[in-house]
């Protein structure tokens, strides 16, 4: 049976949430869908709940496999999907009944490879809406992502990197031959999205909040990130992986000229260094040396020049320190670094970083 939309639901120990999630899917106004539920080695009653739903609705298909992580479960669902389009839903979330019909209408009218909508974040603790995590992106269509220059209001940036608020043209995904990377058991959405972007033609986004995204669930991988932010080590791994992929598909020069590489730099590297987090403050000397080594190896691979065009003044200063190739050298006495480190804002962070680097280089 060829369905219009295949919805893939990766499930691991989520029995208490499945009824709400599956109810929102079987009652979609778009009836021509298949729902592929992948039980990823759950140890609770998840499989039993899924099988009960499978008996009630012929559009539900349950796959049972050993635990391999979210990426492996999504990939298994993609292998079996027969729909013209593919969507992903996390089993502790739910969607508006009209979500897939609305996304499908927009995808077809705009002939988009990927179409996204807004989403509502709500607390698992008390159900309250969390506006700081919710999104209502401005509507728009981007004609050719490959040719676009990075800017914060670009359609692909407005779409966010999460996988579940989107509808993907299956033939596009198959043409790219891309799936989720199983080695990333955390932060896989960013890697998947950034690998897809260089292949994309047309994107479309609608502002309506049609996806309900559960936050503050203590059993969720992202729960600790919501409190402390993403670990710097994971961001470094994502930075290295995506950069390597862009180089392998000969996208490096375009990524440099269009500002995409600077986007990666700011999001995955500078976010931990020049922000209030100041990751070098909490690391020991051995860890600092290892991190500096990885940063400098990345700068060498990325092709970013010491001028770091496209970055703001302070970002360039931090990059020159981390890269080690720029005109700024560690020539002032450590006492000066220490005193200047008492300055507020980025100036203080910059001199504190100088101090830390002078002790580990």
């Amino acid at each position: 049976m060829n369905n219009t939309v295949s919805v893939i639901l990766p499930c691991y120990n989520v029995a208490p949430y499945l009824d709400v999630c599956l109810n929102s899917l079987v009652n979609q106004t778009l009836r021509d869908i298949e729902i592929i539920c992948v039980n990823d080695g759950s140890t609770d009653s998840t499989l039993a709940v899924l099988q009960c739903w499978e008996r009630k609705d012929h559009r539900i298909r349950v796959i049972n496999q050993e635990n391999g992580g979210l990426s492996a479960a999504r990939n298994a669902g993609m292998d079996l999907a027969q729909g013209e389009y593919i969507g992903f839903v996390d089993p502790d979330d739910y969607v508006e009944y009209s979500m897939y019909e609305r996304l499908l209408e927009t995808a077809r009218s705009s002939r988009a490879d990927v179409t996204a909508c807004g989403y509502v974040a709500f607390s698992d603790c008390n159900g309250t809406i969390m506006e700081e995590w919710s999104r209502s992106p401005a509507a728009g269509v981007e004609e050719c992502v490959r040719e676009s220059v990075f800017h914060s209001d670009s359609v692909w940036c407005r779409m966010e990197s999460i996988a579940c608020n989107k509808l993907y043209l299956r033939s596009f995904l198959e043409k790219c031959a891309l799936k989720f990377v199983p080695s990333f058991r955390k932060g896989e959405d960013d890697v998947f999205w950034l690998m897809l972007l260089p292949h994309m033609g047309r994107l479309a986004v609608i502002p309506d909040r049609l996806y309900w995204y559960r936050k503050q669930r203590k059993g969720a991988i992202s729960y600790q990130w919501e409190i402390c932010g993403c670990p710097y080590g994971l961001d470094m791994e994502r930075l290295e992986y995506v950069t390597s992929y862009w180089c392998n598909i000969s996208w490096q020069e375009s990524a440099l000229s269009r500002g995409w590489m600077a986007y990666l730099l700011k999001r995955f590297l500078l976010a931990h260094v020049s922000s209030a987090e100041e990751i070098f403050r909490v690391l020991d000397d051995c860890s600092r040396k290892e991190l500096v080594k990885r940063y400098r190896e990345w700068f060498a691979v990325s092709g970013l020049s010491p001028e770091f065009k496209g970055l703001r003044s302070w970002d360039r200063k931090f990059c020159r320190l981390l890269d080690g190739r720029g005109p700024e050298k560690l020539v002032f006495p450590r006492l000066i670094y220490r005193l200047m480190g008492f300055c507020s804002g980025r100036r203080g962070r910059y001199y504190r970083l100088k101090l830390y680097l002078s002790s580990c280089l």
Side-chain angles (χ1 to χ4, degrees), residues 331-351:
V331 296
F332 296 104
R334 284 170 55 86
L335 176 61
I336 300 297
Y337 303 160
R338 194 178 300 276
L339 291 173
M340 293 297 291
F342 286 104
C343 295
S344 61
R346 285 191 158 194
R347 184 180 300 275
R349 294 169 195 158
Y350 172 75
Y351 281 98

Side-chain angles (χ1 to χ4, degrees), residues 4-115:
T4 305
V5 173
S6 298
V7 181
I8 297 170
L9 194 71
C11 303
Y12 177 73
N13 289 353
V14 286
Y17 304 98
L18 283 172
D19 285 342
V20 171
C21 180
L22 285 167
N23 181 70
S24 74
L25 293 176
V26 300
N27 287 298
Q28 286 292 298
T29 55
L30 177 68
R31 304 302 297 170
D32 187 22
I33 66 173
E34 66 172 348
I35 304 165
I36 302 174
C37 305
V38 182
N39 179 52
D40 190 42
S42 297
T43 57
D44 66 354
S45 58
T46 290
L47 180 59
V49 175
L50 292 175
Q51 290 172 335
C52 180
W53 275 94
E54 185 180 33
R55 290 190 292 270
K56 291 192 294 184
D57 195 308
H58 72 278
R59 297 172 299 170
I60 296 177
R61 182 178 181 184
V62 176
I63 307 301
N64 191 33
Q65 65 180 32
E66 294 183 0
N67 179 257
L70 176 62
S71 293
R74 284 176 173 169
N75 290 343
M78 292 171 70
D79 288 338
L80 297 171
Q82 301 177 32
E84 180 184 358
Y85 292 85
I86 289 177
F88 301 97
V89 174
D90 285 342
D92 53 347
D93 302 334
Y94 63 94
V95 302
E96 293 289 334
Y97 293 153
S98 62
M99 174 170 161
Y100 285 109
E101 183 174 23
R102 295 285 311 284
L103 286 174
L104 181 63
E105 288 174 352
T106 302
R108 285 181 167 168
S109 64
S110 60
R111 294 179 288 111
D113 294 323
V114 183
T115 306

Side-chain angles (χ1 to χ4, degrees), residues 31-304:
R31 304 302 297 170
D32 187 22
I33 66 173
E34 66 172 348
I35 304 165
I36 302 174
C37 305
V38 182
N39 179 52
D40 190 42
S42 297
T43 57
D44 66 354
S45 58
T46 290
L47 180 59
V49 175
L50 292 175
Q51 290 172 335
C52 180
W53 275 94
E54 185 180 33
R55 290 190 292 270
K56 291 192 294 184
D57 195 308
H58 72 278
R59 297 172 299 170
I60 296 177
R61 182 178 181 184
V62 176
I63 307 301
N64 191 33
Q65 65 180 32
E66 294 183 0
N67 179 257
L70 176 62
S71 293
R74 284 176 173 169
N75 290 343
M78 292 171 70
D79 288 338
L80 297 171
Q82 301 177 32
E84 180 184 358
Y85 292 85
I86 289 177
F88 301 97
V89 174
D90 285 342
D92 53 347
D93 302 334
Y94 63 94
V95 302
E96 293 289 334
Y97 293 153
S98 62
M99 174 170 161
Y100 285 109
E101 183 174 23
R102 295 285 311 284
L103 286 174
L104 181 63
E105 288 174 352
T106 302
R108 285 181 167 168
S109 64
S110 60
R111 294 179 288 111
D113 294 323
V114 183
T115 306
C117 64
Y119 53 89
V120 180
F122 67 100
S123 171
D124 184 53
C125 301
N126 53 25
T128 58
I129 292 176
M130 306 172 69
E131 285 294 339
E132 68 272 23
W133 294 97
S134 302
R135 297 289 184 270
S136 297
V141 175
E142 192 155 359
E143 297 293 333
C144 185
V145 176
R146 288 184 63 88
E147 302 302 321
S148 67
V149 175
F150 169 76
H151 58 91
S152 60
D153 194 44
S154 62
V155 169
W156 66 265
C157 199
R158 274 184 261 158
M159 294 173 83
E160 302 278 334
S161 62
I162 65 172
C164 294
N165 68 329
K166 298 177 178 66
L167 193 64
Y168 305 81
L169 184 64
R170 181 162 67 95
S171 61
F172 163 69
L173 294 178
E174 291 174 346
K175 181 180 178 180
C176 298
L178 283 178
K179 292 185 178 179
F180 292 88
V181 182
S183 60
F184 284 94
R185 291 215 171 195
K186 301 175 182 178
E188 59 287 310
D189 284 11
D190 276 309
V191 175
F192 180 68
W193 182 242
L194 290 168
M195 289 195 303
L196 275 181
L197 279 173
H199 299 283
M200 287 185 186
R202 188 172 297 203
L203 302 181
V205 60
I206 58 177
D208 307 67
R209 295 179 175 185
L210 304 176
Y211 190 91
W212 287 78
Y213 181 28
R214 190 182 301 270
K215 304 285 284 185
Q216 297 181 331
R217 181 168 77 84
K218 293 185 178 179
I221 291 176
S222 60
Y223 177 68
Q224 191 62 32
W225 299 5
E226 294 166 19
I227 301 172
C228 304
C230 182
Y232 79 91
L234 175 58
D235 267 350
M236 192 65 219
E237 290 171 14
R238 294 191 288 186
L239 177 68
E240 293 166 335
Y241 193 95
V242 172
T243 300
S244 175
Y245 179 78
W246 286 0
C247 291
N248 288 339
I249 63 170
S250 301
W251 182 247
Q252 181 185 13
E253 291 302 319
S254 292
L256 286 168
S257 64
R258 300 183 190 283
W260 292 29
M261 199 68 79
Y263 166 75
L264 288 188
L265 168 68
K266 291 168 71 174
R267 180 168 181 180
F268 295 124
L269 192 157
L270 289 179
H272 296 282
V273 176
S274 62
S275 70
E277 179 184 349
E278 292 187 76
I279 188 61
F280 280 87
R281 298 186 73 179
V282 299
L283 298 177
D284 57 32
D285 282 345
C286 182
S287 299
R288 288 172 185 163
K289 289 179 182 178
E290 176 60 26
L291 187 56
V292 169
K293 179 175 180 290
R294 291 179 72 178
Y295 281 172
R296 293 191 172 175
E297 288 174 350
W298 180 82
F299 277 114
V301 170
S302 71
L304 283 167

Side-chain angles (χ1 to χ4, degrees), residues 299-313:
F299 277 114
V301 170
S302 71
L304 283 167
S305 69
E307 290 77 24
F308 301 105
K309 294 179 179 179
L311 296 177
R312 294 179 179 178
S313 175

